[in-house]
Amino acid sequence: MEYLEFELPIKELEEQLQKCQVIGKESDVDVSGTCSQIEKKLIDTKTKIYKDLTAWQRVQLSRHPDRPYTLDHIRAICGESFLELHGDRSFKDDKAMIGGLGKIGDQSFMFIGQQKGYNTKTRQYRNFGMANPEGYRKALRLMKSAEKFGIPVVTLIDTPGAYPGLEAEERGQGEAIARNILEMTRLKVPIITVIVGEGASGGALGIGVGDVVLMLENTWYSVISPESCSSILWHSWEYKEQAAEALKLTSTDMKKQKLIDEIIKEPLGGAHRDREKTFKSVSNAIVKYYDTLKNLSPKDLVNQRMEKYANMGVFKG
């Protein structure tokens, strides 16, 4: 288990508890009382730390190296039923954007999402979760296939942004994202969007137009990352914490602004602390919202989606 800077008091107590348990096993000394005291202190410390997380600390948790990624969610939710589909039929298969068919119970879904890597080699292979235009075109191809066969779409967002390289611009990065946004607004099947990690900029929006948009508790969703915002405004990354607060990018802020529909609770300490519980929560949320959308006609579905996004940012004096 890796620990973030603000989690170091937890690390210290967990190490103390481990040593205490080892002493109890290897000797005749009764350490049950000491272990109980440490456990109580550990619970209190965890509760105190995670109760009042700053925006920047939530950003750090969304990037935690042990946090489950898109494929982890899909494989846990769908099991053996997941069939990955590849390619945009124009250029190549983008490894940063994954998609395919999978089942929750007896219901088929088209799952689409950005995938990050676990180590240096896989991060390069997945381009750090930053999709090229062909990734967004692959996503659109899969969505249109889902529409053709009446299969609902689930998108899982976890990206630091679309790939900003010269070659991506040459192949039409902006157009690919804009095309996806346009096509998703009028897709005739239910779309459920879940932000499972980072939700940055147009890279997230390219698969983020949903009838229902959900956020895991320790994720963020914004037009720009705190570091980039800091470097633009202050010409330095030193003000990233200040930028994170100002951007109002946490799940609580997004719910307050009515830009998302629900916050999915995470286990104490983040999604990586109890992966199975997190996967179950995400699966239950997808099923719950699909049940509310499945009986709507394609016309009502599109009209409701259009109205949802048209009302964003509207304030009555």
Side-chain angles (χ1 to χ4, degrees):
M1 179 68 71
E2 289 194 41
Y3 295 84
L4 301 168
E5 193 179 336
F6 65 89
E7 294 177 310
L8 291 179
I10 296 168
K11 181 185 180 184
E12 196 176 309
L13 285 168
E14 285 184 342
E15 285 173 351
Q16 283 178 19
L17 181 61
Q18 202 174 4
K19 283 175 187 173
C20 187
Q21 288 166 341
V22 168
I23 290 166
K25 283 176 187 175
E26 293 179 351
S27 69
D28 297 328
V29 181
D30 182 14
V31 292
S32 56
T34 309
C35 285
S36 295
Q37 281 182 327
I38 297 170
E39 279 175 352
K40 187 179 181 302
K41 195 175 178 184
L42 181 58
I43 292 165
D44 291 344
T45 304
K46 278 185 179 179
T47 306
K48 188 180 175 184
I49 286 173
Y50 295 119
K51 188 183 174 186
D52 296 309
L53 290 174
T54 65
W56 175 244
Q57 285 169 341
R58 290 201 190 276
V59 170
Q60 288 178 291
L61 273 176
S62 77
R63 297 169 176 169
H64 198 288
D66 297 327
R67 191 176 179 85
Y69 294 140
T70 295
L71 269 175
D72 297 319
H73 283 278
I74 293 172
R75 284 171 180 154
I77 291 168
C78 303
E80 294 297 313
S81 72
F82 180 62
L83 173 68
E84 189 174 351
L85 301 169
H86 301 271
D88 70 336
R89 301 295 183 268
S90 294
F91 185 68
K92 70 172 185 178
D93 184 44
D94 189 341
K95 306 300 181 187
M97 185 75 76
I98 59 108
L101 292 162
K103 283 189 172 184
I104 302 177
D106 294 325
Q107 176 61 50
S108 294
F109 291 89
M110 181 66 82
F111 287 90
I112 297 163
Q114 292 100 352
Q115 175 65 24
K116 292 176 176 175
Y118 301 93
N119 53 37
T120 305
K121 191 176 180 181
T122 55
R123 280 172 195 144
Q124 287 179 319
Y125 178 72
R126 296 288 180 185
N127 201 31
F128 300 88
M130 298 188 291
N132 276 282
E134 52 272 19
Y136 292 99
R137 289 175 182 134
K138 171 165 78 170
L140 181 57
R141 181 179 74 80
L142 298 183
M143 286 183 229
K144 294 305 253 182
S145 293
E147 182 183 50
K148 183 179 178 181
F149 296 105
I151 297 168
V153 174
V154 174
T155 65
L156 303 171
I157 294 173
D158 186 12
T159 180
Y163 183 58
L166 180 63
E167 60 272 35
E169 296 300 331
E170 287 173 343
R171 293 198 297 275
Q173 184 72 288
E175 189 277 339
I177 291 169
R179 174 72 56 189
N180 277 25
I181 293 170
L182 170 66
E183 295 293 347
M184 287 182 85
T185 57
R186 57 192 188 190
L187 206 71
K188 294 181 176 67
V189 290
I191 307 170
I192 297 164
T193 296
V194 188
I195 295 146
V196 296
E198 300 184 86
S201 193
L205 281 179
I207 58 166
V209 180
D211 298 295
V212 176
V213 180
L214 315 170
M215 279 180 84
L216 279 168
E217 189 180 1
N218 295 309
T219 61
W220 62 277
Y221 197 21
S222 176
V223 70
I224 194 170
S225 72
E227 294 95 328
S228 299
C229 177
S230 175
S231 66
I232 289 169
L233 294 181
W234 291 283
H235 306 287
S236 165
W237 278 26
E238 285 180 25
Y239 299 92
K240 55 187 181 288
E241 293 177 41
Q242 198 175 323
E245 290 292 339
L247 284 166
K248 303 293 180 193
L249 43 65
T250 67
S251 55
T252 313
D253 292 322
M254 295 299 287
K255 184 78 171 70
K256 206 178 284 182
Q257 302 286 351
K258 297 182 180 176
L259 297 172
I260 63 160
D261 299 282
E262 188 184 314
I263 298 166
I264 302 171
K265 287 285 286 180
E266 290 185 25
L268 188 66
H272 56 286
R273 285 279 180 172
D274 189 341
R275 286 175 161 232
E276 294 310 312
K277 190 176 179 183
T278 304
F279 298 144
K280 189 71 182 163
S281 298
V282 172
S283 179
N284 289 344
I286 291 168
V287 170
K288 180 180 92 171
Y289 281 103
Y290 173 64
D291 286 342
T292 66
L293 296 167
K294 66 182 179 184
N295 295 321
L296 291 174
S297 69
K299 187 179 178 182
D300 289 342
L301 202 61
V302 172
N303 286 343
Q304 192 173 291
R305 195 183 304 142
M306 290 276 202
E307 194 178 335
K308 171 190 173 80
Y309 282 90
N311 287 335
M312 285 183 183
V314 175
F315 290 89
K316 291 174 184 175

